[in-house]
Amino acid sequence: MRFMQWLHRWVSLILVVQVVLWLISGFFFALTGHQGMSGHQYMVPQKTFTELRKVAAKVDFEEIKQWFPNAHSVELVSVAGVGQYQVTLPDDVIYIDANTGDYWSTDEALATRLALLSYSGPGSVESVERVTGSNEVNGWTDPGFRINMADDLNTRIYVDMASAQVVEHRNTPWTIADWAFRLHFMDYSGGRSFNHLLIWSAGLLALWFSLSGLILLGRNLINGDFNPGRKKTWLEQFQQQGHPVASSCGGGGTCGLCKVTLKGDNLPEPNDSETALLNRDELNAGVRLSCQHKVSTAYSVELADKAVSDTRLTLVNKRQLTPSIVELTFTSPGNLTYHAGQFMQFRIPHLNEVLIRHYSMATRPDLNKLVFNVRQMTSPQEGVPPGVGSNYLCHLEVGANVDATGPFGDFQLTEQNNNTQVFIGGGAGIAPLRSLIQAEQAKQQPRHSVFFYGARNEDELCYRDEFEAYDGVAYTPVLSETTKADGWSGKTGFIHEAALAWLANENLNAVDVYVCGPPPMLKATLKALTDIGINRSRIRFDDFGI
Amino acid sequence: MAQKKRSSRWRVWHRWLSLIFGVQMVVWALSGAYMVFFDLDYIHGDHLVQDISQPLPEHTHIASLDELFATYPETRSVSLETRWLDNTLQTVYKLETAKGSLLVNAESLRLIELNEQHIKALANRYYAPEQANIESVVYMTDNPPTEISEKLLPVWQVNYDDFGNTSLYLSETTGDLLVKRHNFWRGFDIAWMLHIMDYEERVDIETWWLKGFIIGTFILMVTGIVLLVYAISFKRTPAGGSQ
């Protein structure tokens, strides 16, 4: 089923534009109808009512037969009262004037007369042009005339010169319909063919797409999703009751955001979606996706973010931590409980909209205050505005309010074990790491901790004294824009290289690694950690870029 | 969280709409695929028949126009051609008159009336595959099968016992091959019926329910696009950290 969802989603992404075109052109066809699209609104059927004996052909069949001994058939017809022989040869048809025996030739006057005979509209002849075929008449490439009629539909009538036959009527509705056919058949040559590679591919995709949808629909039916009296899923229940559960796929079991923890003896088995999106530790601990299970009394359910709430924070202190980082301290009216490493969602008013910015708490859980580190984003060059969110917060006055929601996030300390706790961070990514380190150090038996912190220069090393003062924390600052010549005796270069050099002598099965920092640093560090073989389950990181 | 709540509403709508319109979309995709994948010439049965016209015999004394018009004054068009009759290639005039078409012997101007044996022999000449096993020959004057237009009546239906259950329809008066049908054409006709949702006459593309289903499918697709946007923009790892 997960494959079906994947198929349905990706094929729809490829196909969506063509499906729109099919629907629009199909709707146009349904609105217009056959007659409206034919170009024949003002065309009368070409039937001759003249009796041939009145035409008085001077040349007889016998002569034609002798002139063209290989003819398969010879037909005599009346063209506006004049006899015309149509001689079918093995690979051609030729037209002979039955009076003169010469090749038939249609002049402008006759073409116009024939065009008018085939026309029942209100217009009169506007102009007559000589043409050789027309891109409006598929397959007709011979010399002829285009008779333009002055009427509401902009009718033009094509007459073939050699045969004097009215080839086609065309008009504006026809032109629009022709484009609809191009879109519907995906044949942009104008040939209206629907047997070609492009539409075969689209047809195959459409088949996959709709059949995968049908299979998914069947699963919905079997699951009873259409039963009005059905039991709700936990996700629906939580959303209806206003509990904060994250979900972006809306119950499809594909985003993995609506995690809950089930408690009880008889927990439902994890299904495909859950085995794919949750790791073994989580599954063993009873974590499930709330969209995948119906409300039940067989067990109890605990929300991952049960403490989440909307709150109005008041700024009580502001200080410049380093040249680029400001420390903001807020109080919250209710006591906001959070885990070390979690973050709040700030709602920043900007012009007519509200921007969402995420900031992690920078201290261990504290009922009385919330501390954040904000890097003030300066404008990268003249003319480009500085960071909206960070500037708004940095310019708040003490006493000012800002709305926030939270706490969120699973960037938290591991369960108790004997592993060395390795923290790797850069820039303002220090906030959740500091919170985690403080929380660890506040435990009765703190685990040994190692902290690699990267900054540009010495001035940017925030909370340096605090980290150096811990007995249980090996603090290693690494500067990227400072050299020995500046009087710096510590490490320089990239933070992940320093961390890696240290990890080289460690038992990689006995470390828990926490990473937070700017996107390039995070990416490089995660890659380096994976490369040296640290199990993914031992690495926790906070995506700093958003 | 308000935005995230909406996502499950969209999914519920997508499900309910797909129950009605999604099923029709499957029908459109299946019938469309049928029409697209079988070559139109094959559907038309062009491979089932061949051109049986022959050069006009040289040494036949054909009646003149004057003689022809004296016997058949109402003639509006006339065609000199050949026709295999009783295992002989005969030169014939085919006339169009106010009362319909006629076939006459080009020498004697005698009217030719085609019987079942003539029709069988002609059909077998038109029929291209090597083994020509006629299953049945039906002369029909009314109640035509849905696969042909009523305008073709009266007509001879010649049915073959072959892979596609070929039926050739020959003109009662001239012996001309009018239309050919086989199972893949019949399948195409059903696909077309399903595609345009006119289950009776299979011609009306302007029914209100067709328009309704197109609009409904459009809404279904919009809900799908919204879900797609959610799906593409979601992040597995909740964003955190500070800036």
Side-chain angles (χ1 to χ4, degrees), chain A residues 232-240 245-247 250-252 258 289-293 295, chain B residues 8:
Chain A
K232 292 192 172 63
T233 64
W234 285 108
L235 175 70
E236 286 174 285
Q237 168 120 328
F238 289 144
Q239 289 192 334
Q240 273 190 356
V245 184
S247 168
C258 63
L289 299 179
S290 61
C291 66
Q292 297 296 304
H293 299 282
V295 169
Chain B
S8 77

Side-chain angles (χ1 to χ4, degrees), chain A residues 410-422:
Chain A
D410 51 10
F411 186 55
Q412 295 173 24
L413 289 171
T414 54
E415 301 284 320
Q416 191 59 45
N417 56 26
N418 291 321
N419 291 345
T420 303
Q421 306 296 298
V422 183

Side-chain angles (χ1 to χ4, degrees), chain A residues 37 57 59 178 239 278 397 486:
Chain A
M37 298 189 288
V59 180
D178 196 45
Q239 289 192 334
L278 304 174
E397 296 297 327
D486 297 326

Side-chain angles (χ1 to χ4, degrees), chain A residues 179-483:
Chain A
W179 270 102
F181 277 110
R182 282 166 207 246
L183 298 174
H184 209 79
F185 294 165
M186 303 176 83
D187 178 6
Y188 295 93
S189 71
R192 292 198 190 176
S193 161
F194 48 83
N195 303 126
H196 52 85
L197 189 62
L198 187 61
I199 196 161
W200 289 335
S201 319
L204 213 55
L205 285 176
L207 216 49
W208 282 357
F209 169 63
S210 57
L211 287 177
S212 60
L214 188 69
I215 291 168
L216 293 170
L217 187 66
R219 188 194 59 168
N220 287 142
L221 284 170
I222 290 167
N223 289 353
D225 292 335
F226 290 106
N227 180 355
R230 78 199 159 94
K231 274 189 178 174
K232 292 192 172 63
T233 64
W234 285 108
L235 175 70
E236 286 174 285
Q237 168 120 328
F238 289 144
Q239 289 192 334
Q240 273 190 356
Q241 293 175 354
H243 291 300
V245 184
S247 168
S248 68
C249 69
T254 55
C255 73
L257 289 177
C258 63
K259 290 183 202 174
V260 291
T261 307
L262 310 188
K263 307 255 168 166
D265 296 329
N266 196 10
L267 301 187
E269 287 296 310
N271 66 16
D272 288 355
S273 300
E274 290 169 320
T275 43
L277 293 166
L278 304 174
N279 66 38
R280 204 181 305 147
D281 290 346
E282 286 176 312
L283 292 172
N284 291 339
V287 175
R288 298 286 186 274
L289 299 179
S290 61
C291 66
Q292 297 296 304
H293 299 282
K294 301 260 168 70
V295 169
S296 162
T297 51
Y299 49 83
S300 66
V301 178
E302 204 170 82
L303 285 167
D305 290 322
K306 61 182 170 184
V308 169
S309 61
D310 290 337
T311 181
R312 169 157 289 196
L313 303 176
T314 310
L315 186 64
V316 291
N317 189 30
K318 177 162 91 169
R319 71 179 169 120
Q320 195 78 30
L321 215 52
T322 73
S324 71
I325 297 177
V326 177
E327 183 190 77
L328 301 174
T329 305
F330 291 91
T331 55
S332 148
N335 286 337
L336 201 116
T337 55
Y338 64 93
H339 294 289
Q342 289 197 300
F343 64 92
M344 298 290 289
Q345 211 172 50
F346 281 82
R347 289 194 289 280
I348 313 281
H350 175 62
L351 304 177
N352 291 326
E353 49 185 339
V354 174
L355 303 176
I356 301 290
R357 291 290 183 270
H358 298 144
Y359 288 97
S360 297
M361 276 64 84
T363 66
R364 70 188 167 92
D366 186 327
L367 290 179
N368 299 318
K369 60 182 180 15
L370 296 166
V371 180
F372 301 92
N373 299 154
V374 180
R375 174 186 283 279
Q376 194 161 10
M377 303 299 280
T378 50
S379 98
Q381 65 197 64
E382 221 174 302
V384 178
V388 175
S390 64
N391 270 278
Y392 176 84
L393 290 174
C394 289
H395 288 102
L396 283 179
E397 296 297 327
V398 170
N401 294 317
V402 63
D403 291 325
T405 307
F408 295 105
D410 51 10
F411 186 55
Q412 295 173 24
L413 289 171
T414 54
E415 301 284 320
Q416 191 59 45
N417 56 26
N418 291 321
N419 291 345
T420 303
Q421 306 296 298
V422 183
F423 301 90
I424 306 172
I430 193 155
L433 296 174
R434 179 173 176 239
S435 173
L436 292 171
I437 291 169
Q438 284 188 354
E440 185 65 35
Q441 293 305 311
K443 288 181 180 170
Q444 286 194 331
Q445 287 182 310
R447 292 171 285 187
H448 177 57
S449 301
V450 181
F451 182 26
F452 292 92
Y453 180 60
R456 285 186 185 161
N457 51 53
E458 213 170 339
D459 288 343
E460 294 289 345
L461 291 175
C462 45
Y463 304 122
R464 183 181 181 178
D465 298 344
E466 178 185 327
F467 291 115
E468 286 177 342
Y470 285 122
D471 288 333
V473 181
Y475 172 62
T476 310
V478 182
L479 302 184
S480 61
E481 290 180 7
T482 300
T483 60

